[in-house]
Amino acid sequence: MGFLVLVVRIMGRISTFRSYQFLLLLAAMFAVIAFYYFGSERHSFSSTTKRIRQTQANTNRNDADLTVDTRISHLPASEQQRGEELNVGEESDISRSRKGSSEAGGQRYHALMMFTKVDRSRSLQDKFRVAMLSMVKLAHFLEGEVLVLHFVSDQASQELGQRMLQELLQDAPFKYEVSIIFHDVVELTQKLFPIVEAMQKHFSAGSGAYYSESIFFLSVAMHHIMPESLTRIVQLDLDLKYKTNIRDLFQEFDKFPPGAVIGIAREMQPVYRHTFWLYRKENPKTRVGEPPPEGLPGFNSGVMLLDLSAMRASTLYNQLLKPSNVAKLADQYRFKGHLGDQDFFTMIGMEHPELFYSLACGWNRQLCTWWRDHGYGDVFQLYYGCDGPVYIYHGNCNSPIPDD
């Protein structure tokens, strides 16, 4: 109220002032207004400043969360340089390291997982969580060794994966270093399509089916897609649960016999007894599709060891990738599959078993029992049995995985 009275008095005297006096009074009036305005709004101004500072603090916390905590950090310069030289994808900010580990120049262990359409599936997210938590819980590497995790992903799933990995890695008890690399599924598909186009019609369920996309033949031609500096890689499904140190799986590479290019476990259902039905009818004494140990039950691609150097060097393997040879074998075995790379490996394995190292069933202990209830109950257990320790459970066809 006092402010308004002051203004009225000033305005009443304006008519008696000269121009320069008027300007001085006008300046004084603005000064008074400014004083009263900021004086009355002191609380609001202070609150705004507080909100800005809170926002800045929150931004800083979010930046810190990119590395989850002080134990998770960007790769040292030496590792960043090696990642650039590898040139295989986009390296994430997420990594775990022991101080000084990179300087030791230890071995790098590469593992790849398909991570497409995960943003649309709560089921896939839950499976990924089980897989990663069990992996990091039991993993142990030597000083200086690096675990490099590759994810083939679309953009939306990559963003989700980065957030999930921050959560899943933050409480992991391991001390070794983990590097995360995301590969764009579109770019890889463009590179793959010319190589695998001809085989898709033999090993795909049809247009729009899950395995009909070229990317699900990645393992078949990964030696052409990845740089030559990448010599060995393990490809893993998302629906796994690890019961042992994943480093032990990589030691299986050293057991490959001469000529073998891929390590893979047998199929534990009569899938290929069914798929090869016509060939088996025409060849009643064949071992194709028969159960182990004497039969050839085919392969399951849930866990695969890919010796990329051996794949590049194998004249036989690369000849088998040619469309004419794929068509010849498919016709010879009357083969029409729907499981992508797994079908291709199974088919060529019937003709050339020397290309494969047989992983013990415990490295890919499949749990699916679908075929037991669909016409093969009388022989199912002959395929499903797996003696020996279980190293990795595979919850294929949405099968529940035993609790710890």
Side-chain angles (χ1 to χ4, degrees):
M1 180 64 70
F3 169 72
L4 295 177
V5 172
L6 177 63
V7 171
V8 170
R9 290 177 179 176
I10 292 173
M11 295 302 294
R13 296 175 180 273
I14 286 178
S15 58
T16 62
F17 291 166
R18 296 181 181 181
S19 60
Y20 74 91
Q21 293 175 319
F22 173 77
L23 291 175
L24 290 174
L25 284 173
L26 188 62
M29 182 176 67
F30 279 120
V32 172
I33 292 174
F35 173 82
Y36 274 88
Y37 176 77
F38 285 113
S40 62
E41 294 296 321
R42 178 177 300 172
H43 178 72
S44 297
F45 179 80
S46 178
S47 299
T48 302
T49 304
K50 183 178 181 180
R51 286 196 299 270
I52 292 173
R53 289 175 178 172
Q54 286 176 337
T55 301
Q56 291 173 337
N58 290 336
T59 301
N60 292 337
R61 283 198 298 270
N62 288 339
D63 288 343
D65 283 345
L66 287 176
T67 55
V68 183
D69 61 24
T70 56
R71 292 174 297 165
I72 304 176
S73 62
H74 293 279
L75 290 174
S78 59
E79 284 300 305
Q80 290 176 348
Q81 182 177 359
R82 278 201 280 178
E84 293 169 359
E85 291 172 355
L86 191 60
N87 193 27
V88 292
E90 177 182 344
E91 193 157 11
S92 173
D93 289 339
I94 309 165
S95 64
R96 296 188 64 105
S97 63
R98 174 188 293 178
K99 185 176 181 181
S101 64
S102 298
E103 286 77 0
Q107 184 172 349
R108 295 167 73 87
Y109 295 88
H110 295 266
L112 180 143
M113 302 176 208
M114 302 301 300
F115 201 76
T116 57
K117 304 179 182 177
V118 178
D119 64 305
R120 312 177 196 175
S121 172
R122 173 65 65 179
S123 175
L124 286 176
Q125 294 170 30
D126 291 341
K127 291 173 183 177
F128 178 62
R129 183 172 286 103
V130 170
M132 290 304 304
L133 286 176
S134 61
M135 178 192 291
V136 300
K137 177 182 178 181
L138 299 172
H140 176 72
F141 287 81
L142 302 180
E143 179 74 23
E145 293 180 338
V146 182
L147 175 61
V148 183
L149 296 178
H150 301 252
F151 297 97
V152 177
S153 180
D154 52 84
Q155 184 61 39
S157 295
Q158 175 179 336
E159 294 171 359
L160 172 66
Q162 289 173 328
R163 294 195 300 271
M164 291 185 70
L165 286 167
Q166 292 167 14
E167 170 196 344
L168 297 173
L169 294 179
Q170 64 179 343
D171 295 322
F174 53 76
K175 299 293 185 181
Y176 55 87
E177 182 174 334
V178 177
S179 174
I180 309 296
I181 297 176
F182 281 91
H183 303 265
D184 181 65
V185 65
V186 176
E187 292 181 6
L188 288 188
T189 300
Q190 291 173 345
K191 296 177 181 178
L192 275 173
F193 186 72
I195 304 172
V196 303
E197 177 185 9
M199 67 178 63
Q200 286 188 243
K201 65 181 180 181
H202 300 291
F203 313 121
S204 300
S207 178
Y210 183 75
Y211 283 102
S212 66
E213 300 177 35
S214 298
I215 197 61
F216 295 105
F217 293 84
L218 174 61
S219 60
V220 171
M222 198 182 299
H223 59 301
H224 289 311
I225 303 302
M226 296 297 182
E228 291 194 4
S229 56
L230 186 55
T231 59
R232 289 177 172 180
I233 195 166
V234 170
Q235 183 165 330
L236 305 162
D237 278 1
L238 285 188
D239 53 350
L240 304 178
K241 184 174 182 178
Y242 300 88
K243 303 295 292 181
T244 192
N245 183 3
I246 191 175
R247 184 181 185 276
D248 296 339
L249 176 61
F250 289 92
Q251 308 312 306
E252 295 291 311
F253 276 113
D254 297 332
K255 301 179 183 178
F256 279 29
V261 301
I262 294 170
I264 191 169
R266 63 175 173 85
E267 172 62 46
M268 295 181 192
Q269 291 195 95
V271 176
Y272 293 108
R273 187 184 187 96
H274 180 83
T275 307
F276 284 103
W277 74 271
L278 183 55
Y279 179 82
R280 287 170 53 80
K281 181 180 179 180
E282 296 173 347
N283 301 270
K285 295 183 179 181
T286 184
R287 297 167 58 217
V288 171
E290 285 291 296
E294 301 300 327
L296 300 173
F299 297 126
N300 183 279
S301 60
V303 176
M304 293 185 291
L305 280 67
L306 307 176
D307 189 331
L308 301 182
S309 292
M311 292 169 74
R312 295 179 185 115
S314 175
T315 301
L316 173 60
Y317 181 78
N318 288 287
Q319 286 178 341
L320 292 171
L321 293 179
K322 295 181 178 179
S324 59
N325 290 326
V326 173
K328 180 181 177 181
L329 282 178
D331 181 66
Q332 175 184 332
Y333 285 99
R334 304 290 192 264
F335 192 92
K336 176 59 180 176
H338 63 283
L339 296 174
D341 57 355
Q342 174 174 314
D343 287 336
F344 174 74
F345 293 142
T346 291
M347 187 183 74
I348 67 172
M350 298 301 175
E351 193 76 5
H352 298 285
E354 69 273 17
L355 289 172
F356 298 92
Y357 164 66
S358 182
L359 278 176
C361 60
W363 282 113
N364 181 6
R365 194 2 172 164
Q366 301 138 54
L367 299 172
C368 182
T369 59
W370 191 89
W371 288 95
R372 181 183 62 192
D373 305 318
H374 293 81
Y376 292 92
D378 57 334
V379 297
F380 182 82
Q381 199 59 38
L382 298 176
Y383 295 84
Y384 192 71
C386 176
D387 297 329
V390 174
Y391 305 114
I392 299 176
Y393 278 117
H394 184 185
N396 49 336
C397 70
N398 296 313
S399 300
I401 298 177
D403 294 330
D404 294 333

